[in-house]
Amino acid sequence: MTSPAALPRRTRRPSWAGRNYTLLTAAAVVTNLGSQGALIAAAFAVLDAGGDGGDVGLVAAARTLPLVLFLLIGGAVADRLPRHRVMVAANALNCVSQGAFALLVLGGHAQLWQMMLLSALGGTGQAFFGPASEGMLMSSVEGEQAGRAFAVFRMAMQGAGLGGAALGGALVAVIGPGWVLAVDAVAFAVAGGLRAFLDVGHIPPREPGGGLLADLRDGWREFVGRPWLWTIVAQFSVVVAVVGAADAVYGPLVARDSLGGPGPWGLALGAFGAGTVGGALLMTRWKPRRLLLAGTLCVFPLAAPAAALAVPVPVGPLYAVMFVSGLAIEVFGVSWMTALHQEIPEEKLSRVSAYDWFGSVAMVPLATALAGPAEQAFGRTSALWGCSALVVLVTAAVLCVPDVRNLTRRTRQVAQRTPVSPADGVPLVGAEAGSVSEGVRLLVAEAGSPVGGVPAAGTDGGRAADAKLPSADVEGPAGRLG
């Protein structure tokens, strides 16, 4: 009779959800619960201090500016130092800045320049945290289940953000913005504590480089050498900018004039958030073979909200449009992360992610600043139709890039072979064989033959060992940035 101790233990989590992945997901949930409420609290803190809408914009811009300025440096630092230490240091900076912000608001003496300074410190922390976090997440999973792992992570993060926004708005009304900011500071402290326990032993030590500028140049070469990567980043520099302008500037104005005020617009944004959760849930099951083609096609629905506001449609159809666009963009997000994980070498993930982030946010301040003049020059309806048309045009242009259409999800097979001595090609037996890998990992495409009939070299769960080699599924340099 088999003893209970001999029975295999049933694990509560899937095999791909390792220790690092679990810690990263838990920390992301904690920070998103706090940060989404803090965004609302910061705006009301400015208003309660006697500021107006312009002052709220200045505080928001103070956070965005250092984020843009330091992103590339943050990516280089995260590839040079242990990523979990960079993440913990950034969380500590965010904890201190938000805690000081909370004390100023609770004391009733917060001045605009102080709030701008503390917001700038928070943006600086985010500039270093973001690339390190993305690189750490991608190095925590491997194999063909990576897409599902990213989908679950994003579903948890989006769900926490949706709940945090709803809870934060209610708490601001009940206990005031200062206490909500204090809760966010505590959330950063808790998340930093969780991330301090991350294990980086599986990551190879970084080889000495030629300095920070050399690392940035190396990351740039990695970025521009992959057409699918830089074209999609260029696409999203426009998409994020015009969608942000439509949501942040035109949306509230349309809601005020045609939809019944801020309440319906808040519900519309909530429908978008619910759609992102639904999209992440969909991607836990669906594995599109052509990652970038499926993801890019799902960018087209992002043109619909601006078009719906241009009409404007009633609130019911608007909620449906926002939900579908949220679902679609999450399909892109998971596909993008999966492609990055598959194609970018581990030691360059943070630098590539930094160029991705930089491209995504660099034009947002310009777009929001030009939204008002564009409305005066062309009218609100024309400006909204222009936002919608730009999304369609740049997305259609990206589909003209062969790498975007052809990059294919790769899986791995383990072929059991007799271990061979590297020195003389003689089969090894006994103890010698035990010191060699039990099999040879082969990267194969799910369908079709590799370019030129030659398998792509690589290990580490499907990532090409040398990013300069052609992908098995794409003509030319492999890669993609999300």
Side-chain angles (χ1 to χ4, degrees):
M1 181 175 179
T2 305
S3 65
L7 293 175
R9 291 185 178 181
R10 296 181 61 186
T11 58
R12 296 183 178 180
R13 62 190 184 192
S15 59
W16 44 263
R19 180 173 179 271
N20 278 2
Y21 176 87
T22 303
L23 286 171
L24 288 167
T25 304
V29 168
V30 171
T31 50
N32 263 34
L33 281 171
S35 296
Q36 293 301 313
L39 291 175
I40 301 172
F44 279 93
V46 175
L47 297 175
D48 290 349
D52 55 16
D55 294 330
V56 174
L58 287 175
V59 172
R63 181 177 180 85
T64 304
L65 182 60
L67 177 62
V68 173
L69 291 177
F70 294 114
L71 259 176
L72 299 183
I73 297 175
V77 169
D79 276 341
R80 177 176 288 266
L81 301 177
R83 292 190 182 114
H84 69 307
R85 294 182 183 175
V86 178
M87 296 166 68
V88 171
N91 284 162
L93 178 59
N94 285 127
C95 175
V96 171
S97 63
Q98 286 294 75
F101 202 159
L103 289 175
L104 285 173
V105 174
L106 290 171
H109 305 296
Q111 299 181 27
L112 179 62
W113 72 267
Q114 294 171 323
M115 292 185 283
M116 291 177 63
L117 175 62
L118 293 171
S119 294
L121 288 176
T124 303
Q126 185 62 34
F128 285 85
F129 174 84
S133 174
E134 191 157 334
M136 192 71 202
L137 175 64
M138 291 185 187
S139 69
S140 70
V141 297
E142 64 177 19
E144 56 185 290
Q145 294 298 326
R148 177 172 293 181
F150 297 145
V152 172
F153 176 86
R154 292 177 67 94
M155 181 170 60
M157 188 177 63
Q158 300 287 14
L162 186 61
L167 181 62
L171 289 177
V172 167
V174 174
I175 62 177
W179 288 109
V180 176
L181 290 168
V183 169
D184 189 37
V186 173
F188 276 118
V190 173
L194 290 173
R195 288 162 178 145
F197 289 100
L198 291 169
D199 180 14
V200 295
H202 65 289
I203 299 177
R206 309 299 185 207
E207 296 182 2
L212 189 64
L213 291 178
D215 286 348
L216 289 173
R217 288 194 297 267
D218 191 32
W220 175 252
R221 286 192 295 267
E222 191 77 26
F223 176 71
V224 299
R226 302 171 185 271
W228 59 265
L229 184 60
W230 65 262
T231 53
I232 289 182
V233 172
Q235 170 203 11
F236 266 79
S237 67
V238 176
V239 170
V240 172
V242 299
V243 170
D247 287 352
V249 179
Y250 300 136
L253 296 175
V254 173
R256 180 196 65 189
D257 296 340
S258 306
L259 301 178
W265 181 239
L267 290 175
L269 295 177
F272 180 88
T276 63
V277 176
L281 181 61
L282 170 65
M283 293 303 287
T284 63
R285 297 291 182 183
W286 183 38
K287 295 182 179 181
R289 189 173 69 87
R290 297 199 177 191
L291 288 167
L292 297 184
L293 178 61
T296 302
L297 289 174
C298 286
V299 179
F300 281 110
L302 281 185
L309 291 171
V311 173
V313 300
V315 291
L318 178 62
Y319 297 160
V321 166
M322 295 293 282
F323 179 86
V324 171
S325 61
L327 187 150
I329 196 57
E330 198 63 19
V331 172
F332 169 84
V334 174
S335 299
W336 179 246
M337 291 186 71
T338 305
L340 281 179
H341 174 267
Q342 173 178 293
E343 301 294 338
I344 304 299
E346 188 279 329
E347 70 275 9
K348 299 179 182 179
L349 279 171
S350 291
R351 275 169 286 178
V352 170
S353 296
Y355 281 107
D356 178 21
W357 278 57
F358 182 83
S360 297
V361 303
M363 290 183 61
V364 172
L366 178 62
T368 53
L370 292 177
E375 181 184 17
Q376 295 176 357
F378 307 109
R380 186 188 305 163
T381 298
S382 297
L384 281 165
W385 280 118
C387 291
S388 182
L390 280 172
V391 173
V392 172
L393 287 174
V394 297
T395 304
V398 164
L399 287 176
C400 297
V401 179
D403 287 3
V404 173
R405 299 194 307 271
N406 298 330
L407 191 143
T408 308
R409 182 190 300 270
R410 292 198 298 266
T411 59
R412 65 177 181 179
Q413 288 181 343
V414 179
Q416 299 295 335
R417 295 180 179 176
T418 304
V420 177
S421 168
D424 53 17
V426 178
L428 302 178
V429 293
E432 290 181 325
S435 66
V436 182
S437 173
E438 295 179 356
V440 178
R441 293 183 181 180
L442 298 179
L443 300 182
V444 296
E446 286 188 347
S449 62
V451 174
V454 180
T459 56
D460 192 20
R463 187 181 301 120
D466 184 348
K468 296 178 176 58
L469 293 176
S471 167
D473 310 302
V474 184
E475 296 178 5
R480 170 184 136 49
L481 176 63

